[in-house]
């Protein structure tokens, strides 16, 4: 397992609601179990030597869900960030964030910022929480940052736009210092990326698991990595003979 471990893994944690419904429970119970699973997988990923783990916790589209469910998820985020500092400290796990922070309730913004600050010196795995996140939204915000930082007179601005490159846009994403994900995992058998890391995941390997997220164990993460290790990554090219 120590051979060719992906440096960056993204996970679309899907299936919490279906897990609860299959058991005759309310959807919020599924999200609670999903949080427990996330904690297990964070520890497993750290033990395996993964350097960056991005967890898709709440998308820009998830606001369309029932207010009770949204409120419960936000409460879980707050609970997780408060309760897991000792775990993060023990395992040297650093908290990062991607998404539109300004669109979150003030108390959640504070918890996220506090967690980022409190773990900023930790040198172990970095966990990136994608909350109020959408891939298209991130690209739009990156372009706006570029435009704001290159606000010159008309001719100079037009010249800057004409010369804009992929590197320019990439440099204004939420976390430009983090490498693109090598592997993106989705649970619950859905074959779509759901607006997750659209720019960064252009050449990521995809792994789809039929298991609902609350049922995931360390062995499922290991299976995904084993499958990844069998892939030949060519980035659009052709391997020489």
């Amino acid at each position: 397992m120590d051979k060719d471990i992906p440096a960056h893994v993204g996970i679309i944690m899907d299936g919490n609601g279906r897990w609860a419904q299959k058991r005759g429970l309310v959807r919020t119970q599924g999200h609670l179990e999903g949080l427990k699973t996330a904690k297990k997988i964070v520890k497993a990923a750290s033990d395996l030597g993964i350097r960056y783990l991005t967890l898709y916790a709440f998308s820009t589209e998830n606001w369309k869900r029932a207010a009770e469910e949204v409120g419960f998820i936000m409460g879980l985020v707050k609970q997780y960030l408060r309760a897991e500092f000792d775990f993060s400290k023990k395992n040297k796990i650093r908290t990062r964030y991607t998404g539109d922070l300004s669109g979150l309730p003030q108390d959640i913004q504070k918890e996220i910022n506090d967690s980022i600050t409190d773990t900023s010196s930790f040198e172990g795995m970095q966990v990136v929480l994608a909350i109020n996140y959408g891939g298209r939204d991130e690209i739009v915000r990156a372009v706006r940052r570029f435009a704001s930082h290159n606000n010159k007179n008309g001719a100079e601005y037009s010249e800057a736009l004409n010369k804009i490159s992929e590197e320019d846009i990439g440099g204004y994403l939420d976390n430009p210092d983090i490498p693109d994900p090598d592997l993106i995992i989705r649970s619950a058998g859905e074959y779509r990326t759901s607006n997750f890391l659209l720019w960064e995941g252009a050449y990521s390997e995809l792994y789809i698991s039929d298991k609902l997220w609350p049922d995931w164990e360390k062995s499922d993460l290991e299976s995904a990595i084993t499958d990844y290790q069998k892939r030949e990554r060519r980035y659009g090219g052709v391997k020489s003979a």
Side-chain angles (χ1 to χ4, degrees):
M1 182 58 67
D2 58 350
K3 175 193 174 188
D4 196 22
I5 294 292
H8 182 185
V9 174
I11 303 181
I12 302 171
M13 305 178 293
D14 194 18
N16 293 339
R18 277 172 281 171
W19 183 91
Q21 290 171 340
K22 283 178 63 176
R23 290 160 176 77
L25 304 171
V26 294
R27 288 177 58 86
T28 51
Q29 186 63 37
H31 293 306
L32 179 59
E33 293 301 318
L35 174 61
K36 295 176 183 177
T37 296
K39 291 162 63 174
K40 287 190 297 185
I41 297 303
V42 165
K43 179 63 166 64
S46 177
D47 291 344
L48 289 169
I50 293 168
R51 292 295 302 156
Y52 305 92
L53 180 69
T54 299
L55 300 177
Y56 202 8
F58 190 86
S59 77
T60 50
E61 290 73 38
N62 286 158
W63 296 106
K64 301 173 186 177
R65 297 184 178 185
E68 179 185 3
E69 183 175 354
V70 170
F72 187 84
I73 293 172
M74 289 296 147
L76 285 182
V77 170
K78 190 173 183 178
Q79 172 187 325
Y80 172 83
L81 291 169
R82 282 186 175 179
E84 296 309 309
F85 177 75
D86 288 342
F87 168 80
S88 296
K89 183 177 181 180
K90 179 180 179 181
N91 294 279
K92 303 299 181 185
I93 292 173
R94 178 181 172 187
T95 300
R96 303 281 296 267
Y97 174 79
T98 183
D100 183 2
L101 190 64
S102 66
L104 291 171
Q106 289 293 326
D107 58 334
I108 304 299
Q109 291 186 42
K110 183 179 185 305
E111 292 294 339
I112 291 173
N113 283 323
D114 287 349
S115 181
I116 291 171
T117 300
D118 292 344
T119 65
S120 61
S121 64
F122 296 169
E123 298 178 349
M125 185 178 72
Q126 299 186 23
V127 175
V128 185
L129 300 176
I131 305 172
N132 196 28
Y133 176 85
R136 290 180 176 180
D137 179 69
E138 183 186 18
I139 294 169
V140 168
R141 288 186 288 103
V143 173
R144 286 174 178 165
R145 290 185 192 117
F146 174 88
S148 176
H149 292 170
N150 290 274
N151 188 14
K152 305 173 183 178
N153 65 45
E156 290 178 318
Y157 186 53
S158 295
E159 183 179 359
L161 288 179
N162 287 333
K163 293 182 178 179
I164 193 169
S165 66
E166 291 185 14
E167 288 73 20
D168 290 326
I169 297 297
Y172 285 97
L173 294 173
D174 290 345
N175 295 292
D177 60 309
I178 293 179
D180 292 342
D182 302 294
L183 173 65
I184 292 178
I185 297 168
R186 180 162 191 155
S187 58
E190 300 291 351
Y191 284 77
R192 57 179 177 272
T193 58
S194 294
N195 205 14
F196 181 57
L197 300 180
L198 296 184
W199 183 281
E200 302 91 327
Y203 280 100
S204 301
E205 297 295 319
L206 303 178
Y207 180 86
I208 309 298
S209 167
D210 288 334
K211 290 183 72 171
L212 303 177
W213 178 245
D215 291 328
W216 262 58
E217 302 286 348
K218 179 179 181 180
S219 59
D220 296 297
L221 179 61
E222 291 173 337
S223 294
I225 293 174
T226 297
D227 183 84
Y228 164 82
Q229 292 171 333
K230 298 174 183 176
R231 311 278 184 93
E232 180 183 304
R233 305 188 72 193
R234 298 191 296 273
Y235 300 94
V238 177
K239 187 176 180 180
S240 57

